[in-house]
Amino acid sequence: MIINTLLIGVSSGAIYALMALALVLVWRSTRVVNFAQAGQAVLSTYIGYETMARTHNYWLSVPIAIFFGALLAAIVDVLFMRVLARRAQQGPIAEIAPVITTLGLLGLIHSLIGLIWGNTFVQYTSPLSGKGFTFGTHVIPFSPQNLLIVLTATGVMAIFAAIFTFTDLGLSLRAASFQPEIARLAGIKVDRVRTVGWAFAGATGAVAGVVITPTSYLSPNSLDLLLVTGFVAAVIGGLESLIGAVVGGVVLGIGFAFILQYIGPSVTFLAGFIILMVVQLVKPHGFFGHKTSRHA
Amino acid sequence: MTEGLVVKDLSISHGAVSAIHNLSFDIAPGELVALIGANGAGKTTLLRALSGLIAPQSGTATWHGTSIVKTKPEDLVRVGIVHVSEGKSVIPELTVRENLAIGGLWRRDKKDVLRATAESLELFPVLNERISQRADSLSGGERQMLAIARALISRPELLLLDEPSLGLAPLIVDQIFESLNTLRTHVGMTILLVEQNALGALKIADRGLILNLGNLVGSGPATELLHDPHLRSAYLGF
């Protein structure tokens, strides 16, 4: 029983972790909490759904959706964030404008999806079974699709870990996020590197969308709740740290699974906010964040 | 001889406050010029404009005859102008090795990046001992050495240095100034050294420029400035 709950928790935690990673990647590159991430991820998932409808091939739809997610995020950065950074440099507007823009984009994407695909629930299915694995006569809640979720999330994290640790691009991304001015003086094209950060985030959000959606339904708002849980996970991890985002996501997923199992579904959503508040009170910089403030 | 840095009628302001007024000067290739002035004289503002971090209101600045104003810092690095900004410009979260590496990421000639890294470590051997440590574990002097070493890996032709002696012990300051002297003498690097430490800077410089409240109030060979009683009492403070 406990193991079943744990497995389900890890599976949903993997999705929270992916969303948290997407938010952290953008936060690190541009210091913006990207509310549009839910919209970008769901639009990418619709692209996957459309590919699936035309080709009947889930495994083809996945990379197409991921590529679209990366491209869309890069476009958002170049068209909106770069322009805002240049136009609204000073005063309170400089901090608020980007966030408001991402909220506006979220609304825009919702409407766009409604116009193209309608505001109804559709099904985006994967060839993997959503029914739990069977041991003899015993069926557990953890399904092959859940296994795909966990493996995909692990793969994404391993790829990022390798890029950030071992490649020049990873070093540029870290330098540009820690000290953009010094990075620039060292010759790093910080604007481009930021766009790469956005593209990574967009791809990650798309991954979350295409692997989670087959376990339920797809609608313009179907990933909105994930934005909230992803954000809570990111904050638990300190908003700066990629490892923190992953740990935050998994901890939250397991926590939710146990609350759902032993207390009840009505408390689950509330629990997210309670956890967020407790973390903010006890460790305002998260468990993997930096204590010292940083010049952005 | 080709032209080095030529600055003509440069004016820079921060919002409504004017920081530099109609400044003109030039630096020949291979020269080490010390720009001296008190806090608020506009030294940092000038360097930030020369390295592309801020845009001047009017006037021109050229390097080898090509305009460098309103060019991005990352592009100026590619034409050989490297700025070591004020306050130990290293990235604290990265290791010494990584801080050095970022200076060479943009360069195609990876062999020469290796060579430049080896030369920088030879100039500042203490960095070799700290190579795997995070930069925030270094002392102030080591951080300044790291900042200069990182700049050298970009193979600068014109090195802009903002107060490398700030807050450092005299012995460390001597060591850093000595390394600049080496770069000028043995590498032929052109250096614009901004300093409050007038005495130390003029001792190694070919020429000095004295900036006061955004205006050039004196210039000449460093040895003359060192012995000019008026300048000494009014601006140099020794």
Side-chain angles (χ1 to χ4, degrees):
Chain A
M1 190 65 167
I2 287 179
I3 291 179
N4 281 339
T5 312
L6 199 66
L7 281 172
I8 287 301
V10 169
S11 168
S12 44
I15 290 294
Y16 303 159
L18 286 175
M19 201 57 166
L21 263 181
L23 292 170
V24 168
L25 282 164
V26 163
W27 173 259
R28 280 167 57 117
S29 71
T30 7
R31 308 280 141 187
V32 176
V33 175
N34 182 18
F35 286 107
Q37 185 61 71
Q40 291 166 239
V42 87
L43 182 55
S44 310
T45 309
Y46 269 96
I47 294 295
Y49 161 77
E50 189 64 36
T51 312
M52 174 86 176
R54 284 160 197 265
T55 64
H56 305 287
N57 187 342
Y58 177 75
W59 304 113
L60 177 69
S61 74
V62 168
I64 288 179
I66 294 170
F67 177 75
F68 177 82
L71 187 70
L72 177 65
I75 291 171
V76 168
D77 180 46
V78 172
L79 284 191
F80 295 96
M81 295 303 140
R82 269 196 211 179
V83 176
L84 279 176
R86 224 171 298 140
R87 292 267 165 189
Q89 282 183 327
Q90 258 144 35
I93 194 74
E95 301 198 353
I96 297 167
V99 183
I100 300 292
T101 306
T102 66
L103 271 173
L105 276 171
L106 180 61
L108 184 73
I109 292 172
H110 282 157
S111 313
L112 187 71
I113 293 172
L115 281 174
I116 300 174
W117 289 282
N119 285 308
T120 51
F121 289 89
V122 294
Q123 255 187 319
Y124 175 37
T125 50
S126 111
L128 294 180
S129 171
K131 291 205 181 78
F133 284 104
T134 314
F135 292 97
T137 56
H138 189 64
V139 181
I140 63 165
F142 192 79
S143 69
Q145 185 66 27
N146 289 129
L147 184 63
L148 175 73
I149 291 172
V150 174
L151 291 179
T152 313
T154 313
V156 168
M157 290 156 202
I159 290 169
F160 279 136
I163 290 175
F164 276 90
T165 318
F166 300 115
T167 69
D168 284 358
L169 175 63
L171 182 56
S172 302
L173 278 159
R174 282 186 292 148
S177 86
F178 291 140
Q179 296 283 342
E181 185 175 297
I182 295 173
R184 210 162 246 150
L185 291 175
I188 294 171
K189 298 200 168 180
V190 171
D191 286 347
R192 279 193 206 175
V193 169
R194 281 182 172 157
T195 305
V196 173
W198 274 77
F200 280 176
T204 309
V207 171
V210 293
V211 293
I212 189 66
T213 301
T215 68
S216 62
Y217 293 93
L218 182 61
S219 81
N221 301 85
S222 62
L223 298 181
D224 288 0
L225 204 58
L226 192 57
L227 182 75
V228 179
T229 40
F231 180 68
V232 174
V235 171
I236 293 173
L239 208 55
E240 293 271 350
S241 161
L242 299 171
I243 299 166
V246 173
V247 174
V250 173
V251 165
L252 205 60
I254 293 172
F256 278 2
F258 277 92
I259 290 168
L260 194 66
Q261 181 72 39
Y262 295 100
I263 304 177
S266 54
V267 199
T268 321
F269 190 64
L270 195 63
F273 288 103
I274 294 172
I275 294 170
L276 180 65
M277 280 192 284
V278 171
V279 170
Q280 289 289 284
L281 287 171
V282 179
K283 269 187 109 66
H285 300 283
F287 287 92
F288 292 84
H290 295 264
K291 283 194 189 70
T292 51
S293 67
R294 177 181 290 161
H295 335 273
Chain B
M1 198 160 77
T2 56
E3 268 183 354
L5 178 72
V6 179
V7 174
K8 222 176 238 166
D9 303 323
L10 203 68
S11 293
I12 313 162
S13 41
H14 293 303
V17 187
S18 168
I20 295 279
H21 326 278
N22 288 322
L23 188 69
S24 297
F25 67 93
D26 54 65
I27 301 179
E31 238 187 343
L32 197 171
V33 173
L35 182 73
I36 310 295
N39 248 338
K43 309 184 301 288
T44 295
T45 305
L46 175 66
L47 277 201
R48 291 175 70 82
L50 292 180
S51 66
L53 288 170
I54 53 175
Q57 263 59 50
S58 61
T60 60
T62 58
W63 170 247
H64 293 334
T66 312
S67 172
I68 60 168
V69 295
K70 291 176 184 162
T71 308
K72 289 180 185 170
E74 55 267 38
D75 294 326
L76 288 177
V77 170
R78 287 164 174 75
V79 297
I81 302 176
V82 182
H83 177 187
V84 178
S85 59
E86 199 182 11
K88 289 112 200 159
S89 99
V90 300
I91 299 181
E93 294 88 347
L94 301 182
T95 65
V96 169
R97 184 183 285 111
E98 289 169 335
N99 266 286
L100 292 171
I102 61 169
L105 287 179
W106 62 274
R107 299 187 55 202
R108 294 260 168 81
D109 188 349
K110 295 297 173 197
K111 268 187 193 160
D112 191 60
V113 170
L114 288 179
R115 220 171 314 154
T117 308
E119 287 167 21
S120 294
L121 291 174
E122 209 174 302
L123 195 64
F124 302 114
V126 65
L127 297 178
N128 217 354
E129 296 161 25
R130 309 255 186 275
I131 197 87
S132 299
Q133 293 182 16
R134 270 169 59 124
D136 55 9
S137 72
L138 301 183
S139 71
E142 288 163 352
R143 284 192 206 197
Q144 190 61 60
M145 292 175 197
L146 177 57
I148 296 172
R150 184 260 296 153
L152 296 180
I153 289 160
S154 303
R155 286 276 188 225
E157 287 179 56
L158 173 62
L159 187 61
L160 307 169
L161 286 168
D162 199 350
E163 304 230 24
S165 79
L166 195 70
L168 302 183
L171 211 64
I172 307 290
V173 173
D174 287 347
Q175 202 186 333
I176 285 173
F177 280 174
E178 191 45 49
S179 66
L180 298 182
N181 202 12
T182 308
L183 291 173
R184 190 265 314 264
T185 317
H186 297 292
V187 186
M189 202 174 288
T190 313
I191 301 175
L192 177 56
L193 170 64
V194 159
E195 264 300 338
Q196 277 193 70
N197 178 352
L199 186 61
L202 286 173
K203 273 184 182 162
I204 56 161
D206 300 304
R207 273 195 306 134
L209 303 168
I210 299 168
L211 203 61
N212 188 46
L213 300 172
N215 294 296
L216 203 59
V217 294
S219 72
T223 42
E224 276 179 32
L225 293 181
L226 276 171
H227 298 103
D228 184 321
H230 169 66
L231 287 176
R232 283 181 65 149
S233 62
Y235 303 110
L236 302 182
F238 57 83

